[in-house]
Amino acid sequence: KNLFAWFGAGDADDVVVHVHFGMAGVWAIFEAGEAEPATTPTTRLRMVDEATGLASHLSAMTVNHGDRASLYEPKRSKLGEDPLRDDADAERLWKKVKASKKSIGALIMDQSAFCGPGNIYRAEILFKAKIHPDRPGKELSRAEFDLIWSHTVALLKRGFECGSIITVDAADAKKYGGIRRYVYNKSTCPACGGRVVQWEIQARTAYACQTCQPRGATDDDDALERAPKTPPKKKKPSKKRPAPADPS
């Protein structure tokens, strides 16, 4: 939901572009020699490197640009832990969750806590963790939080690598007849056949299986054993990009 793209030589004069893609945003890059399409009414930014011929078109819900002091630092200070970042601080997030009276369903959608997940991810993460969305953060055990965080990291990493929101594990997709979601926008749970209920949390629809996600504590001492084991991400060298140009 918050992408910061840096352009420059790595000094105080660098320009940062802040992007919120929404549900349909795209940042397309066209290599030198590749036919560059015409811009559209949704193109918010066009950039061209005249030296190499590289071009890019950005379509997104919101786009702003500025410098580190005026744009990046104020926005970043209000954001929580990003599951896709190597420096995400799960311990700091746990302290915030444990001290909160908000439901875990509300916290996952709170960008000052969990930075990134949207409504589909919320429903699917909590189903995989077997946690009811209405459970207050302060009632969760550390094992339950760690399970939620592990699934959050695994699912968002999968979405980033695949370029699509894929929440159902391959084995489950095969087992349950090729389903694309566990409980999001569903009426029946694929795992137990029970009813999936819907209600609103802060004006967004929440989903839960009445059987698999009990409202009370799960009392599951083996919760961490169900958490996905994901290897640490390898850091990629940064690439210098052309400075922003006016849309044309």
Side-chain angles (χ1 to χ4, degrees):
K1 292 183 180 294
N2 290 276
L3 173 68
F4 296 96
W6 292 89
F7 300 90
D11 54 30
D13 294 326
D14 283 0
V15 172
V16 60
V17 177
H18 173 251
V19 181
H20 186 336
F21 284 102
M23 291 295 291
V26 175
W27 199 331
I29 297 177
F30 308 100
E31 301 291 344
E34 183 180 356
E36 180 188 349
T39 58
T40 71
T42 63
T43 303
R44 304 294 303 279
L45 179 69
R46 175 178 178 264
M47 297 186 293
V48 178
D49 184 345
E50 295 181 350
T52 65
L54 185 74
S56 72
H57 294 185
L58 172 60
S59 173
M61 189 164 68
T62 60
V63 179
N64 297 292
H65 72 277
D67 57 25
R68 177 177 292 276
S70 66
L71 179 63
Y72 174 75
E73 291 179 354
K75 284 190 175 294
R76 181 63 186 93
S77 67
K78 298 176 183 178
L79 297 175
E81 305 308 315
D82 186 341
L84 293 177
R85 290 187 61 89
D86 293 323
D87 60 358
D89 191 340
E91 188 66 30
R92 182 168 60 181
L93 177 58
W94 160 242
K95 291 178 181 178
K96 182 176 293 188
V97 169
K98 191 61 178 175
S100 179
K101 296 180 181 179
K102 288 185 179 181
S103 69
I104 187 59
L107 288 166
I108 287 181
M109 295 279 282
D110 182 347
Q111 296 301 298
S112 69
F114 289 74
C115 187
N119 204 30
I120 296 176
Y121 278 123
R122 171 176 68 179
E124 302 290 278
I125 288 166
L126 292 178
F127 174 78
K128 289 169 73 71
K130 307 306 179 191
I131 304 295
H132 195 285
D134 278 346
R135 293 270 309 280
K138 66 179 184 178
E139 288 185 4
L140 296 180
S141 68
R142 181 58 194 258
E144 289 173 323
F145 166 80
D146 286 340
L147 184 60
I148 291 168
W149 179 247
S150 294
H151 283 304
T152 301
V153 171
L155 287 187
L156 267 70
K157 181 178 180 181
R158 181 190 293 173
F160 175 77
E161 293 174 345
C162 297
S164 181
I165 300 178
I166 301 174
T167 59
V168 178
D169 298 336
D172 286 343
K174 183 177 180 180
K175 180 179 180 181
Y176 300 129
I179 61 171
R180 292 179 53 82
R181 303 281 184 261
Y182 289 107
V183 293
Y184 179 80
N185 207 24
K186 300 289 185 180
S187 59
T188 303
C189 174
C192 72
R195 181 188 175 201
V196 173
V197 294
Q198 303 179 20
W199 71 103
E200 287 194 354
I201 297 178
Q202 297 180 339
R204 300 297 300 276
T205 304
Y207 303 83
C209 171
Q210 289 182 313
T211 302
C212 296
Q213 296 168 265
R215 175 60 182 78
T218 60
D219 195 25
D220 185 356
D221 292 334
D222 298 320
L224 284 176
E225 294 302 316
R226 299 198 306 270
K229 305 300 187 295
T230 54
K233 293 180 292 184
K234 296 181 180 179
K235 295 184 177 179
K236 298 180 180 180
S238 60
K239 294 182 180 180
K240 183 179 178 180
R241 291 296 188 188
D246 292 334
S248 62

